[in-house]
Amino acid sequence: NAGVMQNPRHLVRRRGQEARLRCSPMKGHSHVYWYRQLPEEGLKFMVYLQKENIIDESGMPKERFSAEFPKEGPSILRIQQVVRGDSAAYFCASRKAGTANTGELFFGEGSRLTVL
Amino acid sequence: QKEVEQNSGPLSVPEGAIASLNCTYSDRGSQSFFWYRQYSGKSPELIMSIYSNGDKEDGRFTAQLNKASQYVSLLIRDSQPSDSATYLCAGGRGGSYDKVIFGPGTSLSVIP
């Protein structure tokens, strides 16, 4: 039973390029969360999605960032025209729907983005 | 005002001692609370969840929740060097659509 799978694990981009981060949730999980973590800081909520639906994107910057979770395939976090301040670890987490223990998230290993 | 607050530490305790980690939250609608452990360079892993006022024990870990005071704590008994990590407190409102918010984390160092 595979856990939450994220790829790439490490990504290097030059300023102005696009970054695409992928997340496949655990089997049977239909809720996906994206968090950003800067060095020595906590996890900052970005977006919460279900299949084909964005539930809460209140943590997403208004420009350059977008996320999707299509009916088929992984969830994707897309960052356009990256800047150095986007360098961070991006964690994806998933959980089951409709369980009493809501909020018990299972995390992927993270994607570490470096912008040169 | 941050939604979930923690002392950033670092907190240092000798091996075998009790480590006490504290967390406060501002959203009175929060119903679910979690403690995650994160080793350096690794992903967070859930170690405790608590939903009701009072104490919940699991092995060497005890989580405490006081909703009136909006306070959550984690006690680690008989601390081991392998407990050295950052501990993240998180809270959510529960229900089907739950945005889980994390605190900044407390760094714990257990000295052999």
Side-chain angles (χ1 to χ4, degrees), chain A residues 10 18 20 23 31 45 62 65 75 79 84 88 99 116:
Chain A
H10 300 275
E18 178 179 288
R20 283 190 180 223
C23 170
H31 294 232
F45 170 81
K62 293 291 186 284
F65 285 72
S75 175
I79 312 172
R84 288 206 175 119
T99 59
L116 301 177

Side-chain angles (χ1 to χ4, degrees), chain B residues 13-76:
Chain B
V13 300
E15 184 175 356
I18 295 175
S20 178
L21 304 162
N22 304 314
C23 170
T24 58
Y25 60 94
S26 61
D27 182 4
R28 285 198 171 274
S30 296
Q31 298 294 325
S32 310
F33 301 90
F34 310 92
W35 284 98
Y36 285 79
R37 177 176 61 200
Q38 186 177 26
Y39 292 112
S40 181
K42 300 296 185 181
S43 59
E45 57 177 331
L46 179 69
I47 54 173
M48 288 286 284
S49 58
I50 187 166
Y51 306 94
S52 304
N53 280 328
D55 295 0
K56 179 181 178 183
E57 187 174 318
D58 184 0
R60 296 187 296 112
F61 299 96
T62 299
Q64 299 173 318
L65 173 60
N66 184 326
K67 291 185 179 180
S69 301
Q70 296 177 250
Y71 175 87
V72 190
S73 68
L74 179 70
L75 300 177
I76 307 174

Side-chain angles (χ1 to χ4, degrees), chain A:
Chain A
N1 184 17
V4 179
M5 303 299 292
Q6 289 189 249
N7 69 83
R9 294 289 308 279
H10 300 275
L11 182 64
V12 178
R13 286 288 180 265
R14 297 191 180 278
R15 281 179 297 170
Q17 292 184 319
E18 178 179 288
R20 283 190 180 223
L21 310 177
R22 296 173 190 78
C23 170
S24 296
M26 284 181 69
K27 187 175 181 180
H29 287 195
S30 59
H31 294 232
V32 166
Y33 298 71
W34 285 94
Y35 290 87
R36 177 164 64 178
Q37 187 173 42
L38 295 170
E40 308 303 322
E41 293 189 12
L43 295 166
K44 182 175 181 296
F45 170 81
M46 299 184 74
V47 64
Y48 165 30
L49 312 102
Q50 284 184 305
K51 289 249 183 215
E52 300 184 282
N53 194 16
I54 296 175
I55 304 299
D56 188 327
E57 58 182 346
S58 58
M60 289 274 275
K62 293 291 186 284
E63 299 177 351
R64 301 188 299 107
F65 285 72
S66 63
E68 63 176 2
F69 189 14
K71 185 177 181 180
E72 300 292 337
S75 175
I76 295 175
L77 179 66
R78 181 184 180 201
I79 312 172
Q80 296 178 288
Q81 299 174 344
V82 296
V83 301
R84 288 206 175 119
D86 296 333
S87 296
Y90 292 84
F91 286 98
C92 171
S94 73
R95 70 172 178 89
K96 282 184 180 180
T99 59
N101 295 332
T102 57
E104 292 186 351
L105 304 179
F106 295 84
F107 282 84
E109 292 295 316
S111 291
R112 284 153 180 82
L113 172 66
T114 301
V115 180
L116 301 177

